[in-house]
Amino acid sequence: MYKASTSMALAVAAAAGFTTITAGQAQAQEACSTYTVVRGDTLSGIASAADVRGGFRVLFDANTNVLDSPNLLEVGQVLTIPCADGSLPTGAAPVVAASTAPAPVTSAPARPLRIATASDYAPFTDENLPGGGMITRMVDRSMQLGNADQEYDIIFINDWGSHLETLLPTGAVDMAFPWFRPDCSRVENLGPASAYRCTEFNHSDPFYEIIVDFYTLNGSAYANAQSTNDLFGARICRPEAWFVFDLEAAQLVEPNITYVTTVAQNGCFQLLKDGEVDIVTYDALPAEEDIRSAGMEDAVATLEPLRGTVSSHIFVSKNNAFANEALPIINAGLEQLRLSGEWFNIVRESIQETVEN
């Protein structure tokens, strides 16, 4: 079931076999087919040559069974090129390869699950989007597929900060999404806020690999940056309450950089426009929409060599026994969603809606 409430107090690497694009390459791709990666290819170049609607993001999403990152292509990899309508070619491999589907979880539910998300994160979650957005639709279908007998409510609590700070720890809600998990095997290298995501919460399997880009003004001192070290000395903006563990891993922390945050997501681009920051970095999909909304398409450069990915999960408090017992429902349903191809259809439809609007 799906229910909405009102607001409440709320990663191209240069290594053996990995290459960068050169002029004249990536010209033989066709939509609704497969393509074998050759030396010099990049995902952006392949997507552009094949006229993939939604660009490299859609091409990456169609090949997550092959690709670990949108920046890492290996010579000889066979990629599936989506059709003109965004669907996959007939007979294409499912997004996640497996021989059998998982058995649904059938344990008797004790009570309805309370699952929280929030708005203003298009195309991933927003009350005004069809089905509540891309990841909301995935969560909804995963619950249905994982255990049809488990009742649940998906509620929008639009104070993002309250999700991890109070709502999950106190048991006011059982699960919250979409939240990003650091590398919890190296929690000692994380700052306190990032480490908190590892020490206090358990996590579902990943729902989506979020592509994180870095942006600057055309002609700026950072426009030709090839590594994160080239950003040392910059003023970097990322919206408030967003993760910073990827910046920590790249040593993009004080005093190497000046970190600037703002309440409004699109406020970073206003600061960039006004010359108050040098770099803006957050999720590529909403960031590109914010660039369009600000009329800055011709002014902003994307620093593709710095592109990265992080994974989006459902979080549950380690102290909530009921939520932890129910987490396998989500994981079982999510695997069925991927095996059936429905996962990619949700992604395709959501990105197309964003591009069209």
Side-chain angles (χ1 to χ4, degrees):
M1 68 180 65
Y2 173 87
K3 181 172 122 182
S5 76
T6 57
S7 290
M8 297 170 57
L10 246 327
V12 172
F18 298 95
T19 58
T20 57
I21 197 163
T22 57
Q25 291 186 299
Q27 297 300 311
Q29 300 86 326
E30 294 182 359
C32 215
S33 65
T34 60
Y35 174 76
T36 301
V37 174
V38 300
R39 184 170 300 278
D41 281 341
T42 63
L43 207 63
S44 295
I46 296 169
S48 177
D51 198 24
V52 174
R53 190 174 187 180
F56 76 91
R57 297 178 304 272
V58 170
L59 184 57
F60 176 67
D61 292 331
N63 290 278
T64 54
N65 59 316
V66 176
L67 302 176
D68 293 326
S69 163
N71 286 348
L72 298 178
L73 294 183
E74 187 172 1
V75 172
Q77 287 176 319
V78 179
L79 306 183
T80 297
I81 310 296
C83 305
D85 63 358
S87 64
L88 293 178
T90 302
V95 174
V96 174
S99 57
T100 59
V105 176
T106 57
S107 58
R111 61 166 172 80
L113 277 167
R114 301 182 297 267
I115 308 175
T117 188
S119 284
D120 297 325
Y121 189 27
F124 305 113
T125 60
D126 194 287
E127 292 175 270
N128 298 317
L129 293 175
M134 180 196 300
I135 299 182
T136 306
R137 292 172 62 187
M138 291 178 181
V139 172
D140 194 27
R141 285 294 291 143
S142 294
M143 286 299 303
Q144 296 169 16
L145 293 169
N147 184 355
D149 293 329
Q150 174 63 62
E151 295 183 3
Y152 62 95
D153 292 325
I154 297 178
I155 58 178
F156 280 80
I157 301 174
N158 293 331
D159 179 357
W160 281 102
S162 71
H163 291 199
L164 302 189
E165 292 171 7
T166 59
L167 298 177
L168 285 177
T170 63
V173 300
D174 300 303
M175 302 179 172
F177 73 91
W179 288 92
F180 303 98
R181 185 186 69 184
D183 181 355
C184 292
S185 68
R186 299 185 177 184
V187 67
E188 68 278 3
N189 296 333
L190 300 172
S194 299
Y196 177 73
R197 298 188 180 208
C198 297
T199 60
E200 301 303 315
F201 303 98
N202 289 323
H203 322 89
S204 71
D205 292 339
F207 274 81
Y208 191 71
E209 293 289 329
I210 304 295
I211 295 174
V212 180
D213 267 331
F214 291 76
Y215 306 90
T216 190
L217 293 177
N218 288 321
S220 83
Y222 302 97
N224 295 315
Q226 297 297 305
S227 74
T228 52
N229 287 352
D230 293 334
L231 301 186
F232 284 8
R235 299 164 297 172
I236 299 181
C237 183
R238 178 170 284 177
E240 189 176 50
W242 287 41
F243 58 89
V244 295
F245 51 80
D246 60 326
L247 302 182
E248 293 170 350
Q251 298 185 311
L252 293 176
V253 294
E254 307 267 0
N256 293 335
I257 57 97
T258 299
Y259 184 66
V260 180
T261 188
T262 181
V263 174
Q265 174 182 297
N266 60 1
C268 282
F269 283 103
Q270 186 61 49
L271 293 178
L272 183 66
K273 186 176 183 178
D274 294 342
E276 297 184 35
V277 300
D278 306 299
I279 302 292
V280 171
T281 173
Y282 56 99
D283 303 8
L285 274 173
E288 290 174 5
E289 177 59 29
D290 290 341
I291 292 170
R292 287 191 292 270
S293 297
M296 297 177 66
E297 299 99 318
D298 296 331
V300 173
T302 303
L303 304 180
E304 292 193 16
L306 278 57
R307 178 173 292 150
T309 61
V310 296
S311 56
S312 173
H313 304 255
I314 284 180
F315 276 34
V316 303
S317 171
K318 290 184 177 180
N319 295 323
N320 188 326
F322 176 63
N324 281 277
E325 290 175 0
L327 199 55
I329 296 174
I330 287 284
N331 290 337
L334 175 59
E335 188 166 356
Q336 291 191 68
L337 194 70
R338 288 180 175 273
L339 289 169
S340 69
E342 187 178 352
W343 180 92
F344 179 75
N345 288 335
I346 291 174
V347 172
R348 170 178 59 87
E349 292 167 5
S350 300
I351 292 180
Q352 285 184 345
E353 288 164 358
T354 300
V355 171
E356 291 169 356
N357 294 329

